[in-house]
Amino acid sequence: MGPNPDAIDLMGDKSRARQAAIDAGVPVLKGTEGALDVEGDVEAIAEEIGYPLVVKASAGGGGRGIRRINSVEDLRSTVEVAQAEALAAFNSSDVYFERFVTQARHVEVQVFGDGETWVHLGDRDCSLQRRQQKVIEEAPAPGLPDALREQMRQTSVELARHSQYVGAGTVEFLYDPVRQEIAFIEMNTRLQVEHPISEAITGIDLVREQLRIAAGEKLGYTQADVRFEGHAFEFRINAEDPDNNFMPSPGRIETLELAGGPGVRSDFGFSAGQTVMPFYDSLLGKLIVWDTDRDRALARAARALEETEIEGIKTTVPLMRRLIALEDFAAAKHHTTYLETVPGLFGALV
């Protein structure tokens, strides 16, 4: 189920994926073409791109293997650290440079194809992050200029077609609100954690679609058949203590009461009485909320988070309640480093 190995291999190598995006007409950030020649004149390359810039692991993903470089004094040492991290995490020391976007928004497009027909299922905003890990996602992305939204969606479909992509995939972008530009950063060749909010606004079950295509069926609809309605949020609920530097919180779940009702979906892998082990990812589940517009969805989300009760371990539920009460979040003024700028949001240093 899912894309063929060639598509996975192409998009798994971020520098090759960047070139594929260029070939498909997808806008990209200024950066190196292919993997960086660390034995060459990296200072001249960095100067041409301009500071600040980021060095990224070519085989990276999930926000790992990324380091910011502010000046030439930090250049060589940061590249060496990034190479070591990339080798340890991804078994490849290849890295590349890209221009750094200050106060960027992280937006993405859900694409789907059967090898003959490709469509998009709208866009999502994943800008509320901590240490480059997504915290809250929403669909559609708020505040995007219509022309850029359409460009992002259509070029994502072109990239899927160009790579003969099969199944569900996500094309990720940075949106620069100052320059009013979007730029490709990577394509994830899988169903992502945040896919339920795309399901919520389209009514299309992406897991069922994956299974249908894997069984040899065709998509059976075109882009004109895809309808978008309302607004949706997803909250990642983790077994962590946000007031103690996000320390893991394994242990026995004494109480687990999940929100429900119209427009509310709780996807959890645990129930009361079970034990959260310390050896795995800390994600307990996801709370997905839909309503007819963003303001109503936020109000419904506030109620759903109040109804979500988990006792016995620390979780990020109280943090989620604080985040959606922020005026900047309600006004969609947040960005990928926003949480680092809010004083008193966490009980300890982020």
Side-chain angles (χ1 to χ4, degrees):
M1 185 171 71
N4 62 56
D6 289 341
I8 295 174
D9 183 57
L10 172 63
M11 294 302 165
D13 184 320
K14 305 310 178 189
S15 55
R16 288 181 60 211
R18 173 186 165 87
Q19 186 58 52
I22 294 171
D23 294 341
V26 185
V28 300
L29 288 169
K30 190 173 183 179
T32 50
E33 305 302 327
L36 179 68
D37 178 9
V38 295
E39 301 300 326
D41 191 351
V42 294
E43 289 83 2
I45 296 171
E47 188 68 30
E48 170 65 21
I49 296 169
Y51 294 98
L53 55 83
V54 287
V55 55
K56 294 183 174 182
S58 293
R64 293 171 297 180
I66 301 175
R67 291 269 173 165
R68 176 173 170 173
I69 303 173
N70 294 312
S71 67
V72 67
E73 288 76 19
D74 305 327
L75 184 62
R76 288 281 179 179
S77 60
T78 306
V79 168
E80 290 174 3
V81 170
Q83 282 190 291
E85 288 178 346
L87 184 61
F90 308 111
N91 200 34
S92 170
S93 62
D94 285 350
V95 295
Y96 64 102
F97 286 155
E98 272 186 350
R99 178 175 68 84
F100 180 78
V101 180
T102 304
Q103 297 190 354
R105 293 262 303 280
H106 186 159
V107 293
E108 59 190 30
V109 176
Q110 178 71 62
V111 295
F112 203 95
D114 61 7
E116 297 178 2
T117 302
W118 290 268
V119 299
H120 70 78
L121 302 181
D123 48 82
R124 303 185 288 250
D125 186 290
C126 308
S127 300
L128 209 62
Q129 301 179 7
R130 174 184 172 270
R131 292 181 176 173
Q132 298 165 343
Q133 300 298 309
K134 300 168 185 176
V135 176
I136 298 175
E137 301 99 345
E138 61 182 296
L144 278 184
D146 290 342
L148 285 183
R149 190 188 304 275
E150 187 63 18
Q151 181 189 20
M152 187 174 67
R153 290 176 170 185
Q154 294 306 321
T155 58
S156 294
V157 172
E158 286 305 311
L159 179 58
R161 181 181 289 110
H162 176 78
S163 57
Q164 289 294 292
Y165 194 86
V166 174
T170 300
V171 185
E172 304 202 3
F173 294 83
L174 288 181
Y175 167 52
D176 186 338
V178 176
R179 298 191 183 199
Q180 294 279 286
E181 295 174 348
I182 56 167
F184 170 84
I185 48 176
E186 65 177 340
M187 182 177 186
N188 281 289
T189 55
R190 55 180 169 80
L191 201 62
Q192 286 193 279
V193 175
E194 58 269 29
H195 78 272
I197 54 177
S198 293
E199 295 180 331
I201 65 170
T202 61
I204 295 175
D205 185 329
L206 280 165
V207 175
R208 180 182 63 191
E209 294 300 279
Q210 290 259 80
L211 293 169
R212 283 204 314 108
I213 299 306
E217 296 183 26
K218 292 302 178 183
L219 205 57
Y221 50 87
T222 66
Q223 190 65 62
D225 299 314
V226 180
R227 294 288 183 264
F228 302 100
E229 183 178 355
H231 201 96
F233 288 93
E234 179 180 280
F235 303 88
R236 300 193 186 197
I237 310 302
N238 292 70
E240 298 173 343
D241 184 358
D243 293 328
N244 186 23
N245 204 28
F246 288 85
M247 288 293 291
S249 181
R252 187 175 188 273
I253 300 174
E254 302 295 340
T255 301
L256 183 62
E257 296 183 5
L258 301 178
V264 178
R265 167 179 165 183
S266 293
D267 289 0
F268 274 68
F270 292 86
S271 58
Q274 288 188 305
T275 299
V276 177
M277 304 298 286
F279 311 113
Y280 311 105
D281 188 278
S282 63
L283 184 68
L284 298 174
K286 304 176 293 185
L287 174 65
I288 302 100
V289 178
W290 174 93
D291 212 321
T292 54
D293 60 38
R294 190 174 189 268
D295 288 343
R296 288 175 176 171
L298 266 178
R300 179 167 281 175
R303 291 193 298 271
L305 285 166
E306 286 299 326
E307 293 171 1
T308 302
E309 295 186 17
I310 305 174
E311 297 179 355
I313 59 173
K314 298 287 187 180
T315 75
T316 54
V317 171
L319 173 64
M320 299 299 172
R321 296 169 182 161
R322 281 177 262 171
L323 292 177
I324 65 169
L326 294 171
E327 291 184 6
D328 283 343
F329 184 69
K333 295 181 179 179
H334 55 290
H335 47 81
T336 55
T337 56
Y338 175 76
L339 293 186
E340 300 167 13
T341 69
V342 184
L345 184 59
F346 310 103
L349 292 177
V350 183

